[in-house]
């Protein structure tokens, strides 16, 4: 039986859990309205469309194999970078935006490129914006099942 290798197109079912075991998302949950993905994740190993630790975990698996892997932050969404957190004056943010903790905004740079930020704190005079990925700095556990190669 063929083992998954770099360059193979694969289909994988997964369940992703945070450090405390809380299920964050899943490709198979058995409920119609559970918020999970619909069907297995399809990607090509090594093409950069999944986090590096996920890619590496699939290599060597055969269709039907299952595996649980713990992926450290540096092989997932990276470490948190405090320089990507900024405190800005409320006066510098358009008045029509809803400023609530947890809301996502898009910041446009001078060169026209844009990136998402999350509001992490709101005071009378300032808003704290975090450009780190929401899972940066977190270890993730994946339950994997290789469905298909090719």
């Amino acid at each position: 039986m063929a083992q998954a290798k770099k360059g193979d197109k694969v289909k994988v079912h997964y369940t992703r859990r945070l450090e405390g075991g809380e299920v964050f998302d899943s490709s198979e949950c058995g409920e119609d309205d559970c918020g999970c993905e619909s069907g297995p994740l399809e990607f090509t190993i090594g093409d950069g469309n999944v986090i590096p630790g996920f890619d590496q975990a699939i290599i060597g698996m055969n269709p039907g194999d299952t595996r649980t892997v713990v992926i450290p932050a540096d092989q997932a969404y990276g470490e948190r970078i405090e320089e990507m957190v900024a405190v800005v004056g409320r006066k510098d943010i358009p008045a029509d935006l809803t400023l609530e903790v947890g809301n996502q905004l898009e910041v446009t740079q001078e060169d026209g490129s844009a990136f998402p930020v999350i509001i992490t704190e709101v005071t009378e005079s300032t808003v704290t914006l975090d450009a780190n990925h929401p899972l940066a700095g977190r270890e993730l556990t994946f339950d994997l099942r290789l469905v298909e190669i090719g």
Side-chain angles (χ1 to χ4, degrees), residues 22-145:
E22 170 192 355
V23 173
F24 184 76
D25 69 352
S26 178
S27 66
E28 56 181 344
C29 60
E31 299 173 21
D32 290 336
D33 191 27
C34 66
C36 69
E37 297 290 322
S38 56
L41 175 65
E42 297 183 45
F43 66 98
T44 300
I45 297 173
D47 70 357
N49 285 324
V50 298
I51 58 176
F54 194 98
D55 248 352
Q56 289 302 310
I58 301 302
I59 292 174
M61 290 180 73
N62 295 306
D65 285 356
T66 60
R67 175 180 291 170
T68 297
V69 295
V70 176
I71 300 176
D74 66 337
Q75 290 295 304
Y77 295 96
E79 298 296 340
R80 283 191 52 75
I81 301 169
E82 289 309 313
E83 291 80 7
M84 293 178 70
V85 177
V87 178
V88 297
R90 285 183 83 139
K91 64 181 175 18
D92 297 324
I93 296 177
D96 63 330
L97 293 179
T98 303
L99 302 178
E100 294 179 3
V101 171
N103 281 5
Q104 182 172 315
L105 304 176
E106 188 172 89
V107 174
T108 304
Q109 299 182 70
E110 289 179 12
D111 66 2
S113 62
F115 59 93
V117 296
I118 302 288
I119 298 173
T120 58
E121 184 178 6
V122 178
T123 69
E124 298 251 343
S125 60
T126 64
V127 177
T128 304
L129 304 174
D130 188 346
N132 284 287
H133 187 282
L135 295 175
R138 301 196 66 177
E139 178 181 273
L140 304 174
T141 299
F142 283 88
D143 298 322
L144 305 170
R145 179 169 55 90

